[in-house]
Amino acid sequence: MHDTELTARLDLAAVLARDGGHCARKFFRSGDFDVRLKGPGDPVTTADLAVDALIQEGIRRSYPQDGILSEESGGGGADILWVIDPIDGTQNFSRGIARFAISVAICENGRPVGGVVYDPMADELFLARKGGGAFLNGGKIRASSLQEPAQALIEAGYSSKHSWQDYHAMTGRLLDAGFGVRQVGSAALGLVEVACGRIDGYCEMHLESWDVAAAALIVAEAGGVASDFFAGDGMRTGGPIVAAADGLWDALQTTAAVPRTDRCETR
Ligand code: LIP
């Protein structure tokens, strides 16, 4: 894809993420949405579906030839692929917790080349393009320069997609190594907070491509390090993720000991 083609797609992704965020915020504030469970601790709301439809309609209007992979409607299998999480942090959203985001990534040949994560409650739009740096509301962002686990704050995401025993063991290792540990329910927001230095690392044993495609690129473009989520079949099957400020990567990756999380070297 030529630079100008990516620029145009990324501009559209930012517009659609904002529009989707405004739609989600209206549902959130009204409370007028239905919830059903896709699996244990894995809800979907009518707001997710409405945001998904809004974003997909915008993509198809401008780029009917591109592929789309979405958490709520599947898809995939195209050289240029839009990867959408219409509401990342749906459990928070469904319980009235104002911590969720809209994630839209543009992938080429199986890897993200552009991405947007929008937090509609904070009106914060995180954006990156491969080789072009990472931005928050237009201002350049950098991951933290911390190198000491004892000073670091990490998010260790949890879901029923992996055993609580493994999660318990991982958080025990992190705490024993001196890391501060939290879990607040949105991988996309946790990852972009690594990118802007609010926290120093994120790890989770299993996420889907739509959770991480935009945010992992934003981390890498902000000078952080993320594991190579899209090596092999990550786009289709999902997998583990570890991301950190550069100076903390070795300590976090070793301590978290999440399998198959080699450093991504494709910057
Ligand atoms: C969520 C992630 C979270 C993970 C949840 C879920 P969703 O995404 O952001 O980190 O632990 O299981 O995958 O489902 O709200 O888009």
Side-chain angles (χ1 to χ4, degrees):
M1 187 172 11
H2 295 296
D3 267 0
T4 50
E5 293 173 302
L6 176 55
T7 300
R9 284 177 169 84
L10 202 47
D11 289 347
L12 177 62
V15 168
L16 294 176
R18 281 192 184 281
D19 291 349
H22 297 158
C23 175
R25 193 171 57 208
K26 275 174 66 178
F27 274 106
F28 181 78
R29 286 177 172 163
S30 73
D32 183 16
F33 54 85
D34 299 324
V35 187
R36 66 177 173 83
L37 278 182
K38 296 186 287 187
D42 190 13
V44 60
T45 72
T46 45
D48 291 78
L49 302 179
V51 172
D52 190 44
L54 181 154
I55 292 173
Q56 292 208 35
E57 197 272 332
I59 296 167
R60 296 196 196 291
R61 191 183 318 122
S62 299
Y63 297 101
Q65 74 284 9
D66 290 0
I68 296 175
L69 169 61
S70 155
E71 175 174 11
E72 305 312 343
S73 44
D79 289 347
I80 300 178
L81 184 69
W82 296 67
V83 180
I84 304 166
D85 191 340
I87 297 181
D88 182 78
T90 301
Q91 194 162 40
N92 288 343
F93 180 94
S94 67
R95 305 293 296 269
I97 299 167
R99 183 175 173 83
F100 55 90
I102 288 68
S103 179
V104 182
I106 299 145
C107 298
E108 187 172 32
N109 300 323
R111 287 187 177 275
V113 291
V116 174
V117 172
Y118 180 56
D119 177 343
M121 304 311 288
D123 192 24
E124 291 187 328
L125 188 129
F126 296 84
L127 178 146
R129 66 183 296 157
K130 194 166 176 56
F135 300 87
L136 165 54
N137 290 351
K140 205 154 171 79
I141 54 175
R142 294 288 301 173
S144 90
S145 55
L146 270 186
Q147 300 187 7
E148 289 302 321
Q151 298 166 359
L153 177 61
I154 300 298
E155 181 163 353
Y158 175 74
S159 76
S160 58
K161 295 169 193 164
H162 43 80
S163 81
W164 70 263
Q165 294 89 340
D166 290 343
Y167 180 75
H168 186 255
M170 179 179 74
T171 53
R173 292 192 298 272
L174 292 168
L175 291 166
D176 192 42
F179 288 102
V181 180
R182 68 171 205 185
Q183 191 256 336
V184 283
S186 168
L189 282 183
L191 287 164
V192 295
E193 285 174 334
V194 174
C196 67
R198 290 178 188 162
I199 66 172
D200 309 296
Y202 190 97
C203 54
E204 188 154 353
M205 290 183 171
H206 186 91
L207 283 170
E208 306 302 336
S209 51
W210 44 78
D211 297 313
V212 305
L217 177 67
I218 294 168
V219 169
E221 289 299 324
V225 180
S227 52
D228 200 359
F229 184 93
F230 293 93
D233 204 10
M235 182 69 77
R236 188 178 64 84
T237 62
I241 185 94
V242 175
D246 194 13
L248 278 168
W249 165 261
D250 289 336
L252 179 59
Q253 205 253 359
T254 304
T255 306
V258 177
R260 299 183 292 123
T261 54
D262 297 331
R263 181 182 183 128
C264 183
E265 302 292 1
T266 59
R267 265 184 57 86

